[in-house]
Amino acid sequence: VTIGGFTVNLTLTEYEILRLLVLHADRPVTHQEIWQAIGVNEKFNDAHGVRVHISNLRRKLNGWSGKPNPIATEVGRGYRFQTYSN
């Protein structure tokens, strides 16, 4: 994907998670919504698997715009893609 003029290489799973978060920007997305969006099979249907993908996404998105990382944790709810005004 290209974000703010920078190319960020993502796996298909990371892309699908980012796409879901962006589509629901500024709203928490639950682990279950993420599982459904990425078509997870049973062996990966756990919170740990989602956390690993989120961690990888955060690492890849860190510093791309000079702003804080756009993926926030909503404790007990899921994750949220934060939009920032200019």
Side-chain angles (χ1 to χ4, degrees), residues 2-75:
T2 302
I3 304 172
F6 296 96
T7 299
V8 180
N9 294 317
L10 303 178
T11 66
L12 180 58
T13 301
E14 292 165 350
Y15 173 81
E16 290 299 330
I17 292 171
L18 181 61
R19 181 179 171 278
L20 177 68
L21 292 172
V22 169
L23 285 173
H24 299 284
D26 296 318
R27 174 185 88 67
V29 178
T30 67
H31 286 100
Q32 181 146 2
E33 289 173 305
I34 293 171
W35 296 328
Q36 290 171 347
I38 62 176
V40 162
N41 64 37
E42 295 227 2
K43 75 177 189 173
F44 295 111
N45 194 2
D46 67 296
H48 176 72
V50 171
R51 283 193 298 269
V52 168
H53 289 299
I54 293 292
S55 175
N56 291 338
L57 266 173
R58 283 181 170 146
R59 180 179 43 80
K60 290 178 179 184
L61 297 178
N62 195 34
W64 63 266
S65 68
K67 296 179 181 178
N69 199 289
I71 301 174
T73 300
E74 292 281 327
V75 178

